[in-house]
Amino acid sequence: MRAKMAAAFALGFAAGVLCLSVGLWWTGALGTTLRTEAAGAQGEGERETLGVAKTVHLAIPIAGVAVKDLTDTFNQARAGHKHEALDIPAPRGTPVMAAGEGNIVKLFTSKQGGLTVYQFDDSRTYSYYYAHLDRYAPGLREGTRLRRGEVLGYVGSTGNASPEAPHLHFAVFKLGPEKKWWEGTAIDPLPLFR
Ligand SMILES: [Zn+2]
């Protein structure tokens, strides 16, 4: 008799544990789904309205330039592709400042961008890209940490920019999961200054 009761108890206990773990697994899975959906919605929000959950506020990287002075050049067509960046005209040699806080990840010279800087924000969510620089700020290195407003270089026309029209080409990329400086999805920088 006692053996039978013990067996029934053990069976009930096992069933209970099973129910509990299935329940935990289900709520866990549900939680993951909800988080993924929230993250997706957040990505959209940044691109569209920038709104709600995680917003980046950037400083205009050229001193004395106000939002009203900027022309939205993000959707302009350029040789076979969309521009996907903001061009800020300025005299050659005008200081270019970090739009946000973060480390310099790459100093790179390319045919199109000329002398460029890639900076990651501290959460490694975004990369800020500065191109056509005339020269870098003295002492600037990969790994240098910049605060918003610190000078990283000077406006120029290196790369494919017209020598008669020096400007800063500034882009913001949302980084992929592997956080590679050359991979990302371009975001319109203009609303990030507001
Ligand atoms: Zn440009």
Side-chain angles (χ1 to χ4, degrees):
M1 203 59 183
R2 270 182 70 171
K4 207 174 171 184
M5 276 175 68
F9 176 76
L11 194 68
F13 183 74
V17 167
L18 190 69
C19 270
L20 189 67
S21 50
V22 167
L24 283 176
W25 169 80
W26 188 79
T27 47
L30 187 70
T32 309
T33 312
L34 288 176
R35 274 196 298 278
T36 310
E37 277 166 7
Q42 180 189 315
E44 284 305 312
E46 279 155 4
R47 218 164 301 140
E48 304 276 284
T49 56
L50 304 174
V52 237
K54 188 183 186 297
T55 315
V56 230
H57 291 294
L58 297 180
I60 295 174
I62 304 280
V65 174
V67 172
K68 65 174 171 51
D69 304 326
L70 298 171
T71 307
D72 191 349
T73 58
F74 188 77
N75 293 304
Q76 282 182 355
R78 295 292 151 94
H81 65 277
K82 228 168 78 172
H83 183 230
E84 296 195 321
L86 180 68
D87 283 344
I88 310 174
R92 186 181 307 280
T94 303
V96 174
M97 306 176 307
E101 210 163 31
N103 288 324
I104 301 299
V105 172
K106 188 73 184 173
L107 300 179
F108 189 67
T109 306
S110 74
K111 203 177 160 192
Q112 297 194 326
L115 216 58
T116 73
V117 170
Y118 290 81
Q119 180 192 18
F120 283 8
D121 83 308
D122 287 336
S123 68
R124 295 162 64 83
T125 309
Y126 300 101
S127 171
Y128 310 134
Y129 172 68
Y130 313 78
H132 306 315
L133 299 174
D134 193 61
R135 61 189 192 278
Y136 294 130
L140 193 79
R141 301 270 180 278
E142 288 171 9
T144 301
R145 186 181 158 72
L146 296 179
R147 280 168 298 181
R148 179 195 302 220
E150 281 191 280
V151 175
L152 56 86
Y154 300 89
V155 171
S157 57
T158 54
N160 64 3
S162 160
E164 289 80 46
H167 66 276
L168 174 68
H169 170 106
F170 177 69
V172 176
F173 297 101
K174 182 154 195 203
L175 293 163
E178 291 175 345
K179 311 299 178 195
K180 292 174 174 165
W181 61 268
W182 64 92
E183 270 178 8
T185 309
I187 297 171
D188 188 354
L190 196 54
L192 305 177
F193 300 131
R194 290 178 175 131

PDB file of all heavy atoms in Angstrom, residues 2 4 18 23 33-34 38 50-51 53 58 62 64 66 72 80 83 117 121 123 132 163 167 172 189:
ATOM      1  N   ARG A   2       1.842   1.261   0.906  1.00  0.00           N
ATOM      2  CA  ARG A   2       2.719   2.443   1.000  1.00  0.00           C
ATOM      3  C   ARG A   2       3.498   2.658  -0.296  1.00  0.00           C
ATOM      4  O   ARG A   2       3.684   3.793  -0.723  1.00  0.00           O
ATOM      5  CB  ARG A   2       3.703   2.253   2.169  1.00  0.00           C
ATOM      6  CG  ARG A   2       3.126   2.795   3.469  1.00  0.00           C
ATOM      7  CD  ARG A   2       4.118   2.645   4.577  1.00  0.00           C
ATOM      8  NE  ARG A   2       5.248   3.559   4.395  1.00  0.00           N
ATOM      9  CZ  ARG A   2       6.179   3.747   5.325  1.00  0.00           C
ATOM     10  NH1 ARG A   2       6.147   3.046   6.448  1.00  0.00           N
ATOM     11  NH2 ARG A   2       7.148   4.605   5.134  1.00  0.00           N
ATOM     12  N   LYS A   4       2.534   1.829  -3.241  1.00  0.00           N
ATOM     13  CA  LYS A   4       1.638   2.358  -4.270  1.00  0.00           C
ATOM     14  C   LYS A   4       1.456   3.881  -4.130  1.00  0.00           C
ATOM     15  O   LYS A   4       1.517   4.639  -5.097  1.00  0.00           O
ATOM     16  CB  LYS A   4       0.280   1.643  -4.136  1.00  0.00           C
ATOM     17  CG  LYS A   4      -0.477   1.591  -5.456  1.00  0.00           C
ATOM     18  CD  LYS A   4      -1.726   0.745  -5.277  1.00  0.00           C
ATOM     19  CE  LYS A   4      -2.625   0.845  -6.483  1.00  0.00           C
ATOM     20  NZ  LYS A   4      -3.887   0.122  -6.295  1.00  0.00           N
ATOM     21  N   LEU A  18       7.098  18.604 -14.992  1.00  0.00           N
ATOM     22  CA  LEU A  18       6.982  18.697 -16.451  1.00  0.00           C
ATOM     23  C   LEU A  18       6.126  19.909 -16.846  1.00  0.00           C
ATOM     24  O   LEU A  18       6.517  20.718 -17.691  1.00  0.00           O
ATOM     25  CB  LEU A  18       6.366  17.399 -16.996  1.00  0.00           C
ATOM     26  CG  LEU A  18       6.410  17.268 -18.517  1.00  0.00           C
ATOM     27  CD1 LEU A  18       7.854  17.075 -18.975  1.00  0.00           C
ATOM     28  CD2 LEU A  18       5.534  16.111 -18.980  1.00  0.00           C
ATOM     29  N   GLY A  23       5.672  25.216 -18.950  1.00  0.00           N
ATOM     30  CA  GLY A  23       5.139  26.572 -18.738  1.00  0.00           C
ATOM     31  C   GLY A  23       6.236  27.609 -18.801  1.00  0.00           C
ATOM     32  O   GLY A  23       6.115  28.640 -19.470  1.00  0.00           O
ATOM     33  N   THR A  33       9.928  36.373 -28.241  1.00  0.00           N
ATOM     34  CA  THR A  33       9.191  36.866 -29.399  1.00  0.00           C
ATOM     35  C   THR A  33       8.838  38.337 -29.224  1.00  0.00           C
ATOM     36  O   THR A  33       9.043  39.144 -30.114  1.00  0.00           O
ATOM     37  CB  THR A  33       7.890  36.058 -29.574  1.00  0.00           C
ATOM     38  OG1 THR A  33       8.215  34.692 -29.493  1.00  0.00           O
ATOM     39  CG2 THR A  33       7.250  36.358 -30.903  1.00  0.00           C
ATOM     40  N   LEU A  34       8.347  38.657 -28.041  1.00  0.00           N
ATOM     41  CA  LEU A  34       7.945  40.041 -27.792  1.00  0.00           C
ATOM     42  C   LEU A  34       9.133  40.977 -27.892  1.00  0.00           C
ATOM     43  O   LEU A  34       9.054  42.035 -28.477  1.00  0.00           O
ATOM     44  CB  LEU A  34       7.299  40.159 -26.405  1.00  0.00           C
ATOM     45  CG  LEU A  34       5.912  39.533 -26.291  1.00  0.00           C
ATOM     46  CD1 LEU A  34       5.419  39.618 -24.864  1.00  0.00           C
ATOM     47  CD2 LEU A  34       4.932  40.229 -27.231  1.00  0.00           C
ATOM     48  N   ALA A  38       9.639  44.038 -30.469  1.00  0.00           N
ATOM     49  CA  ALA A  38       9.889  45.395 -29.968  1.00  0.00           C
ATOM     50  C   ALA A  38      11.137  45.961 -30.640  1.00  0.00           C
ATOM     51  O   ALA A  38      11.160  47.115 -31.051  1.00  0.00           O
ATOM     52  CB  ALA A  38      10.062  45.370 -28.456  1.00  0.00           C
ATOM     53  N   LEU A  50      12.094  58.497 -35.411  1.00  0.00           N
ATOM     54  CA  LEU A  50      13.083  58.535 -34.367  1.00  0.00           C
ATOM     55  C   LEU A  50      12.512  58.684 -33.060  1.00  0.00           C
ATOM     56  O   LEU A  50      12.929  59.465 -32.263  1.00  0.00           O
ATOM     57  CB  LEU A  50      13.842  59.829 -34.406  1.00  0.00           C
ATOM     58  CG  LEU A  50      14.481  60.157 -35.605  1.00  0.00           C
ATOM     59  CD1 LEU A  50      15.015  61.487 -35.475  1.00  0.00           C
ATOM     60  CD2 LEU A  50      15.551  59.158 -35.754  1.00  0.00           C
ATOM     61  N   GLY A  51      11.682  58.187 -32.875  1.00  0.00           N
ATOM     62  CA  GLY A  51      11.020  58.554 -31.774  1.00  0.00           C
ATOM     63  C   GLY A  51      11.216  58.003 -30.481  1.00  0.00           C
ATOM     64  O   GLY A  51      11.766  58.660 -29.652  1.00  0.00           O
ATOM     65  N   ALA A  53      11.699  54.776 -28.413  1.00  0.00           N
ATOM     66  CA  ALA A  53      12.460  53.972 -27.462  1.00  0.00           C
ATOM     67  C   ALA A  53      13.897  54.474 -27.338  1.00  0.00           C
ATOM     68  O   ALA A  53      14.248  55.094 -26.343  1.00  0.00           O
ATOM     69  CB  ALA A  53      12.441  52.529 -27.893  1.00  0.00           C
ATOM     70  N   LEU A  58      22.413  63.931 -32.083  1.00  0.00           N
ATOM     71  CA  LEU A  58      23.746  64.252 -32.560  1.00  0.00           C
ATOM     72  C   LEU A  58      23.932  65.757 -32.679  1.00  0.00           C
ATOM     73  O   LEU A  58      22.969  66.497 -32.870  1.00  0.00           O
ATOM     74  CB  LEU A  58      23.982  63.608 -33.926  1.00  0.00           C
ATOM     75  CG  LEU A  58      23.950  62.082 -33.972  1.00  0.00           C
ATOM     76  CD1 LEU A  58      24.210  61.599 -35.390  1.00  0.00           C
ATOM     77  CD2 LEU A  58      24.970  61.491 -33.013  1.00  0.00           C
ATOM     78  N   ILE A  62      29.737  70.563 -37.958  1.00  0.00           N
ATOM     79  CA  ILE A  62      30.424  71.793 -38.358  1.00  0.00           C
ATOM     80  C   ILE A  62      29.915  72.930 -37.468  1.00  0.00           C
ATOM     81  O   ILE A  62      28.707  73.158 -37.398  1.00  0.00           O
ATOM     82  CB  ILE A  62      30.117  72.149 -39.840  1.00  0.00           C
ATOM     83  CG1 ILE A  62      30.470  70.991 -40.777  1.00  0.00           C
ATOM     84  CG2 ILE A  62      30.818  73.447 -40.239  1.00  0.00           C
ATOM     85  CD1 ILE A  62      31.925  70.866 -41.128  1.00  0.00           C
ATOM     86  N   GLY A  64      28.755  76.423 -36.057  1.00  0.00           N
ATOM     87  CA  GLY A  64      28.070  77.573 -36.637  1.00  0.00           C
ATOM     88  C   GLY A  64      27.004  77.225 -37.658  1.00  0.00           C
ATOM     89  O   GLY A  64      26.370  78.118 -38.216  1.00  0.00           O
ATOM     90  N   ALA A  66      23.407  75.665 -38.455  1.00  0.00           N
ATOM     91  CA  ALA A  66      22.156  75.323 -37.777  1.00  0.00           C
ATOM     92  C   ALA A  66      21.338  74.372 -38.655  1.00  0.00           C
ATOM     93  O   ALA A  66      21.586  74.271 -39.863  1.00  0.00           O
ATOM     94  CB  ALA A  66      21.350  76.585 -37.498  1.00  0.00           C
ATOM     95  N   ASP A  72      18.487  68.626 -47.088  1.00  0.00           N
ATOM     96  CA  ASP A  72      18.376  67.173 -46.972  1.00  0.00           C
ATOM     97  C   ASP A  72      18.868  66.524 -48.264  1.00  0.00           C
ATOM     98  O   ASP A  72      18.215  66.613 -49.297  1.00  0.00           O
ATOM     99  CB  ASP A  72      16.925  66.784 -46.685  1.00  0.00           C
ATOM    100  CG  ASP A  72      16.811  65.315 -46.285  1.00  0.00           C
ATOM    101  OD1 ASP A  72      17.805  64.574 -46.436  1.00  0.00           O
ATOM    102  OD2 ASP A  72      15.736  64.919 -45.810  1.00  0.00           O
ATOM    103  N   GLY A  80      24.493  56.311 -59.978  1.00  0.00           N
ATOM    104  CA  GLY A  80      24.004  54.937 -59.901  1.00  0.00           C
ATOM    105  C   GLY A  80      23.522  54.465 -58.542  1.00  0.00           C
ATOM    106  O   GLY A  80      23.190  53.298 -58.382  1.00  0.00           O
ATOM    107  N   HIS A  83      22.343  58.678 -52.429  1.00  0.00           N
ATOM    108  CA  HIS A  83      23.429  59.328 -51.686  1.00  0.00           C
ATOM    109  C   HIS A  83      23.533  58.820 -50.253  1.00  0.00           C
ATOM    110  O   HIS A  83      24.611  58.481 -49.771  1.00  0.00           O
ATOM    111  CB  HIS A  83      23.173  60.854 -51.723  1.00  0.00           C
ATOM    112  CG  HIS A  83      24.242  61.654 -51.074  1.00  0.00           C
ATOM    113  ND1 HIS A  83      23.968  62.618 -50.143  1.00  0.00           N
ATOM    114  CD2 HIS A  83      25.584  61.646 -51.221  1.00  0.00           C
ATOM    115  CE1 HIS A  83      25.113  63.175 -49.752  1.00  0.00           C
ATOM    116  NE2 HIS A  83      26.101  62.606 -50.390  1.00  0.00           N
ATOM    117  N   VAL A 117      36.824  59.088 -41.613  1.00  0.00           N
ATOM    118  CA  VAL A 117      36.834  58.645 -40.219  1.00  0.00           C
ATOM    119  C   VAL A 117      35.555  57.859 -39.959  1.00  0.00           C
ATOM    120  O   VAL A 117      34.471  58.294 -40.347  1.00  0.00           O
ATOM    121  CB  VAL A 117      36.880  59.849 -39.244  1.00  0.00           C
ATOM    122  CG1 VAL A 117      36.653  59.401 -37.810  1.00  0.00           C
ATOM    123  CG2 VAL A 117      38.189  60.603 -39.370  1.00  0.00           C
ATOM    124  N   ASP A 121      29.412  54.735 -31.803  1.00  0.00           N
ATOM    125  CA  ASP A 121      28.885  55.229 -30.525  1.00  0.00           C
ATOM    126  C   ASP A 121      29.170  54.181 -29.447  1.00  0.00           C
ATOM    127  O   ASP A 121      29.530  53.049 -29.750  1.00  0.00           O
ATOM    128  CB  ASP A 121      27.381  55.546 -30.638  1.00  0.00           C
ATOM    129  CG  ASP A 121      26.526  54.305 -30.476  1.00  0.00           C
ATOM    130  OD1 ASP A 121      26.788  53.316 -31.177  1.00  0.00           O
ATOM    131  OD2 ASP A 121      25.602  54.326 -29.636  1.00  0.00           O
ATOM    132  N   SER A 123      27.439  52.372 -27.497  1.00  0.00           N
ATOM    133  CA  SER A 123      26.663  51.132 -27.476  1.00  0.00           C
ATOM    134  C   SER A 123      26.960  50.273 -28.707  1.00  0.00           C
ATOM    135  O   SER A 123      26.408  49.190 -28.857  1.00  0.00           O
ATOM    136  CB  SER A 123      25.165  51.457 -27.421  1.00  0.00           C
ATOM    137  OG  SER A 123      24.758  52.045 -28.644  1.00  0.00           O
ATOM    138  N   HIS A 132      35.727  63.048 -47.180  1.00  0.00           N
ATOM    139  CA  HIS A 132      36.338  64.135 -47.979  1.00  0.00           C
ATOM    140  C   HIS A 132      37.197  65.070 -47.124  1.00  0.00           C
ATOM    141  O   HIS A 132      37.400  66.234 -47.474  1.00  0.00           O
ATOM    142  CB  HIS A 132      35.275  64.984 -48.719  1.00  0.00           C
ATOM    143  CG  HIS A 132      34.335  64.210 -49.586  1.00  0.00           C
ATOM    144  ND1 HIS A 132      34.749  63.216 -50.450  1.00  0.00           N
ATOM    145  CD2 HIS A 132      32.983  64.300 -49.747  1.00  0.00           C
ATOM    146  CE1 HIS A 132      33.689  62.732 -51.082  1.00  0.00           C
ATOM    147  NE2 HIS A 132      32.605  63.357 -50.669  1.00  0.00           N
ATOM    148  N   PRO A 163      36.948  69.868 -56.168  1.00  0.00           N
ATOM    149  CA  PRO A 163      37.880  70.767 -55.462  1.00  0.00           C
ATOM    150  C   PRO A 163      37.297  72.168 -55.287  1.00  0.00           C
ATOM    151  O   PRO A 163      37.687  72.893 -54.380  1.00  0.00           O
ATOM    152  CB  PRO A 163      39.101  70.817 -56.382  1.00  0.00           C
ATOM    153  CG  PRO A 163      38.983  69.615 -57.271  1.00  0.00           C
ATOM    154  CD  PRO A 163      37.521  69.332 -57.413  1.00  0.00           C
ATOM    155  N   HIS A 167      33.281  70.100 -48.912  1.00  0.00           N
ATOM    156  CA  HIS A 167      32.154  69.860 -48.008  1.00  0.00           C
ATOM    157  C   HIS A 167      32.439  68.646 -47.155  1.00  0.00           C
ATOM    158  O   HIS A 167      33.298  67.829 -47.484  1.00  0.00           O
ATOM    159  CB  HIS A 167      30.848  69.660 -48.806  1.00  0.00           C
ATOM    160  CG  HIS A 167      30.828  68.422 -49.651  1.00  0.00           C
ATOM    161  ND1 HIS A 167      31.369  68.366 -50.912  1.00  0.00           N
ATOM    162  CD2 HIS A 167      30.323  67.184 -49.412  1.00  0.00           C
ATOM    163  CE1 HIS A 167      31.190  67.150 -51.426  1.00  0.00           C
ATOM    164  NE2 HIS A 167      30.559  66.404 -50.528  1.00  0.00           N
ATOM    165  N   VAL A 172      25.357  58.282 -41.171  1.00  0.00           N
ATOM    166  CA  VAL A 172      25.140  57.473 -39.970  1.00  0.00           C
ATOM    167  C   VAL A 172      24.693  56.092 -40.423  1.00  0.00           C
ATOM    168  O   VAL A 172      23.782  55.968 -41.235  1.00  0.00           O
ATOM    169  CB  VAL A 172      24.060  58.091 -39.052  1.00  0.00           C
ATOM    170  CG1 VAL A 172      23.783  57.192 -37.858  1.00  0.00           C
ATOM    171  CG2 VAL A 172      24.482  59.478 -38.592  1.00  0.00           C
ATOM    172  N   PRO A 189      20.729  61.302 -41.375  1.00  0.00           N
ATOM    173  CA  PRO A 189      21.238  61.985 -40.176  1.00  0.00           C
ATOM    174  C   PRO A 189      20.430  63.214 -39.776  1.00  0.00           C
ATOM    175  O   PRO A 189      20.430  63.605 -38.614  1.00  0.00           O
ATOM    176  CB  PRO A 189      22.659  62.418 -40.567  1.00  0.00           C
ATOM    177  CG  PRO A 189      22.954  61.807 -41.884  1.00  0.00           C
ATOM    178  CD  PRO A 189      21.638  61.484 -42.522  1.00  0.00           C
TER     179      PRO A 189
END
